[in-house]
Amino acid sequence: MGVGFLIAVLPLVSFLLAGFGVLFGWKSFKRRSHYFGLVTVGTSLFLSFYVLFKVTKGVVLTEEWFNWVISGGLSASFGAYIDSLTAIMLVVVTFVSFFVHMYSIGYMHEDPGYDRFFAYLGLFTFSMLVLVLSPNFLQLFFGWEAVGLSSYLLIGFWFKRKRAADAAIKAFIMNRIGDFLFILGVVAVFWVFGSLDFHKVFSQAGAVSAATLSLISFLLLGGAVGKSAQFPLHTWLPDAMEGPTPISALIHAATMVAAGVFMVARCSPIFDGGYILPIVGAIGVITAFGAATVGLTQFDIKRVLAYSTLSQLGYMFAALGIGAYVYAMFHLFTHAFFKALLFLGSGNVIHAMSGEQDIRKMGGLYKYMKITAACFIIGTLALVGIPPFAGFFSKDKIISAAYANGHLVFWFFLVGGALLTALYMGRLVFMVFFGEERFDTREMKHLHESPAVMTVPLIFLAVPSIFAGFLGGWFEEFLKSSIPNHVREISHSAELLLITITVSLALLGLLIAAVIYYWKKISPEVFTESPVLRPIYLLLYNKYYFDEIYNFVFVRGVAFGLGRIYAFFDKYVIDGIVNGVAYFTSWCGEVLRLTQTGVVNNYVAYFGIGVVTVILLLLLV
């Protein structure tokens, strides 16, 4: 079968072993189910590095595991296509998943669904690996839907909590909207190209009209917008925080939301041939800037990080939209490490605070949790884009590319997003780890650093969060054989000026956050209670009222419309048929009753009329 088969299937083995334990109630498996995940995903991680090493030598690995569909002109198999793009994604997915597995041993230790959780983790990892290994659109769609199912199960893991169940349903439904467009795109690909194989489709893309490619790109983009939580299908991702924190790390860093960016990059020959790329970029910029503004007003530690993910995914889509596919993947690469680090760090904070997630009830945690605080600060500096941390290199590439390619409006809002990112992340760090303690120390007697099984993953994720950015030159050279990078050259002095502007604004954002939340020279109430600024604050705090609008238009609106249709159908169709049959039967009875008079003369007359009528009919015929 090949090494690609082993990389994908090993996490599935973990799912099956842990799942059988759950299904049959094997108590001996319950507290040992994490071993399945650690061994299988750890082995997949080792094999992923092995594959990466082989691909760096210019080798492209292809495998055919089995024929899946052979029907008429449609032929598709399950297999693996491992080029430089796939090799990078394999390392990212298995690396983050392995440390999420390790971290979950401590975080989920007391949870009654411990074994079920590790079973779902294996399924989630398998689904994403099948997706990135895909050699054709049909296998891609299988993995696409499998990660959707896995995220549904894990977001709603604590299904007895109404908010968790609602969040899972919301994520599932909103992704179905995007996936409906995506499957239409897959059908359109087969209709136009007569194949679903990537190599055959992409090699023929140049011979297809731009209008046709634009239609296919638009449909595929719909799926990417839903899966990667881009405007306007973005509202499910913040609510997904109702799931366990390790799952938040996995969804936001390496699996679910990364799928959309990966798919667009993989399908670059189709997107390059149409007119849709400016729309991709505009969606990314709107999401990047809009999510950053909302992040300024949130108080749930995980929701702040969720909006940061929305914003950073926006940067990736902006890069895709300007044709900088390599830079989009580079930011996905660095973002995976520091976003997993931030979410797992927030999990340590929540664990220490007995489940509390409101940052207004924290403060001064640095002296209790020095390792977590240090790792969280590293992740923050990487996210904000402060050199020499990883996020600086990848985000700066995107911002500079927007300017170089002449997208000055995109550049302006992306730079503004860098300022806002620094502001809300600085606010988060200062409110959580520094300043006064805003909690009852008598209720927090057990407040201490998390055990090694939860801090060691943070340390391992902190290392690439610091150093991964230095791989930028190698990364660009490595990926150019798989995906293009349409970025114009600019002078060294112009590039240096752009870097200076971006970094200066990021530092300014951190300084403003320190002035307000650390040195407390300005009260936040100046902005939240001001008659002029309060309406803006409420708009941002309520997330631009997207949930309320969607609820009114689609939930209530559809329910009201369907209710009216149902009422009409029930009253005039269902009841009309039933009552009509009864009325017709009654009417026939009334008519026939008129003939039953009991008078013999009438019966003789009826008989005579009948005989005459029959004779006339016979004569006419």
Side-chain angles (χ1 to χ4, degrees):
M1 287 292 187
V3 66
F5 177 79
L6 289 175
I7 291 172
V9 169
L10 283 171
L12 180 64
V13 173
S14 169
F15 163 70
L16 294 174
L17 291 174
F20 280 132
V22 175
L23 186 63
F24 297 109
W26 294 337
K27 293 182 179 180
S28 59
F29 271 35
K30 191 171 186 68
R31 290 299 164 186
R32 296 181 177 87
S33 54
H34 58 269
Y35 289 118
F36 305 136
L38 286 175
V39 172
T40 57
V41 177
T43 306
S44 290
L45 174 59
F46 174 79
L47 293 175
S48 296
F49 275 111
Y50 168 74
V51 165
L52 179 64
F53 176 75
K54 291 197 70 172
V55 174
T56 55
K57 296 182 178 296
V59 177
V60 175
L61 304 175
T62 58
E63 301 173 7
E64 184 173 331
W65 305 338
F66 58 87
N67 287 325
W68 186 14
V69 175
I70 301 177
S71 176
L74 175 60
S75 175
S77 61
F78 247 66
Y81 176 73
I82 308 176
D83 59 355
S84 55
L85 177 61
T86 301
I88 287 292
M89 287 299 298
L90 290 176
V91 171
V92 168
V93 173
T94 54
F95 187 89
V96 173
S97 180
F98 177 77
F99 287 108
V100 167
H101 274 78
M102 182 186 295
Y103 179 89
S104 299
I105 298 171
Y107 192 87
M108 301 297 292
H109 180 68
E110 301 296 333
D111 196 282
Y114 187 82
D115 48 352
R116 178 166 57 92
F117 180 82
F118 279 95
Y120 289 166
L121 273 185
L123 179 62
F124 206 176
T125 306
F126 161 75
S127 302
M128 190 63 186
L129 291 172
V130 167
L131 188 154
V132 301
L133 285 165
S134 302
N136 56 64
F137 280 95
L138 200 57
Q139 183 177 325
L140 176 70
F141 184 72
F142 174 85
W144 193 269
E145 292 303 305
V147 294
L149 170 64
S150 303
S151 65
Y152 169 77
L153 295 172
L154 285 163
I155 293 169
F157 180 78
W158 290 316
F159 55 86
K160 293 183 180 179
R161 302 179 184 178
K162 186 178 185 304
R163 290 179 60 180
D166 289 346
I169 293 171
K170 183 176 183 180
F172 191 80
I173 291 175
M174 294 200 76
N175 272 275
R176 296 290 70 71
I177 298 171
D179 292 354
F180 173 72
L181 295 176
F182 184 72
I183 195 170
L184 289 180
V186 173
V187 171
V189 166
F190 180 72
W191 184 270
V192 172
F193 296 96
S195 174
L196 294 177
D197 181 77
F198 286 152
H199 179 72
K200 293 180 181 179
V201 170
F202 299 155
S203 64
Q204 298 175 43
V208 177
S209 70
T212 301
L213 292 178
S214 296
L215 175 60
I216 295 173
S217 300
F218 177 79
L219 295 172
L220 296 177
L221 175 63
V225 166
K227 197 67 69 183
S228 291
Q230 293 295 283
F231 169 84
L233 300 179
H234 63 285
T235 59
W236 68 266
L237 190 59
D239 287 1
M241 298 303 95
E242 296 299 330
T245 301
I247 290 312
S248 301
L250 197 55
I251 289 176
H252 287 247
T255 53
M256 180 85 164
V257 297
V261 179
F262 169 80
M263 185 273 291
V264 175
R266 173 61 81 199
C267 297
S268 56
I270 295 177
F271 281 85
D272 276 344
Y275 307 118
I276 297 300
L277 282 182
I279 298 176
V280 178
I283 289 172
V285 170
I286 292 170
T287 307
F289 189 81
T293 60
V294 176
L296 293 169
T297 62
Q298 301 304 299
F299 295 104
D300 185 307
I301 185 172
K302 288 175 63 177
R303 283 183 180 267
V304 175
L305 295 178
Y307 279 102
S308 81
T309 299
L310 284 174
S311 184
Q312 299 310 304
L313 288 167
Y315 278 88
M316 298 174 208
F317 268 75
L320 296 171
I322 62 177
Y325 297 100
V326 172
Y327 294 161
M329 291 306 302
F330 186 37
H331 196 47
L332 185 152
F333 174 71
T334 61
H335 177 265
F337 302 122
F338 59 73
K339 185 49 59 71
L341 172 61
L342 288 169
F343 266 107
L344 297 185
S346 72
N348 282 6
V349 171
I350 296 167
H351 184 263
M353 295 291 293
S354 302
E356 182 57 67
Q357 295 183 201
D358 192 332
I359 60 177
R360 292 171 294 187
K361 299 178 182 178
M362 299 178 187
L365 295 182
Y366 178 82
K367 65 181 180 182
Y368 299 103
M369 312 175 68
K370 288 185 172 59
I371 297 176
T372 296
C375 291
F376 198 94
I377 291 170
I378 289 171
T380 297
L381 294 174
L383 173 60
V384 170
I386 303 298
F389 297 92
F392 159 72
F393 295 94
S394 56
K395 187 187 292 187
D396 174 70
K397 289 286 188 183
I398 295 173
I399 294 174
S400 296
Y403 182 88
N405 284 6
H407 298 280
L408 298 184
V409 175
F410 287 6
W411 174 83
F412 177 81
F413 282 102
L414 293 177
V415 168
L419 169 65
L420 297 177
T421 301
L423 184 53
Y424 70 70
M425 286 306 298
R427 168 180 175 264
L428 181 63
V429 168
F430 292 130
M431 290 186 70
V432 172
F433 294 106
F434 300 100
E436 62 180 339
E437 298 175 358
R438 294 180 295 276
F439 52 86
D440 190 341
T441 53
R442 292 172 298 179
E443 297 178 0
M444 298 291 178
K445 292 180 181 179
H446 70 294
L447 191 61
H448 56 77
E449 185 59 87
S450 298
V453 74
M454 296 171 67
T455 54
V456 168
L458 268 64
I459 296 170
F460 274 92
L461 288 165
V463 173
S465 297
I466 299 172
F467 298 110
F470 293 105
L471 297 174
W474 170 85
F475 195 96
E476 188 170 350
E477 184 68 21
F478 182 55
L479 280 191
K480 72 178 184 180
S481 61
S482 299
I483 53 177
N485 207 40
H486 309 301
V487 180
R488 298 172 188 166
E489 292 282 342
I490 58 174
S491 67
H492 180 71
S493 58
E495 186 177 8
L496 184 60
L497 177 61
L498 293 173
I499 293 173
T500 302
I501 292 172
T502 304
V503 174
S504 298
L505 287 174
L507 292 172
L508 176 62
L510 291 176
L511 178 62
I512 294 172
V515 169
I516 298 174
Y517 299 102
Y518 183 68
W519 292 311
K520 298 186 183 301
K521 299 296 184 181
I522 302 175
S523 172
E525 282 72 23
V526 171
F527 307 100
T528 60
E529 301 299 334
S530 166
V532 177
L533 298 178
R534 183 164 177 77
I536 299 176
Y537 168 76
L538 291 176
L539 179 67
L540 301 181
Y541 179 76
N542 289 286
K543 299 155 285 187
Y544 294 99
Y545 297 98
F546 272 105
D547 285 322
E548 289 77 7
I549 293 170
Y550 288 168
N551 183 63
F552 178 78
V553 174
F554 296 108
V555 180
R556 290 188 178 182
V558 171
F560 177 76
L562 290 178
R564 295 289 294 270
I565 293 171
Y566 174 79
F568 176 85
F569 189 80
D570 181 65
K571 182 176 181 180
Y572 295 103
V573 179
I574 303 298
D575 288 351
I577 292 173
V578 174
N579 295 333
V581 170
Y583 177 80
F584 179 75
T585 304
S586 176
W587 179 81
C588 290
E590 290 293 328
V591 172
L592 291 173
R593 187 173 64 83
L594 295 176
T595 66
Q596 305 303 311
T597 61
V599 178
V600 175
N601 293 341
N602 292 343
Y603 296 153
V604 172
Y606 297 155
F607 179 76
I609 293 172
V611 170
V612 171
T613 302
V614 171
I615 292 172
L616 289 174
L617 289 173
L618 291 173
L619 290 174
L620 291 173
V621 174

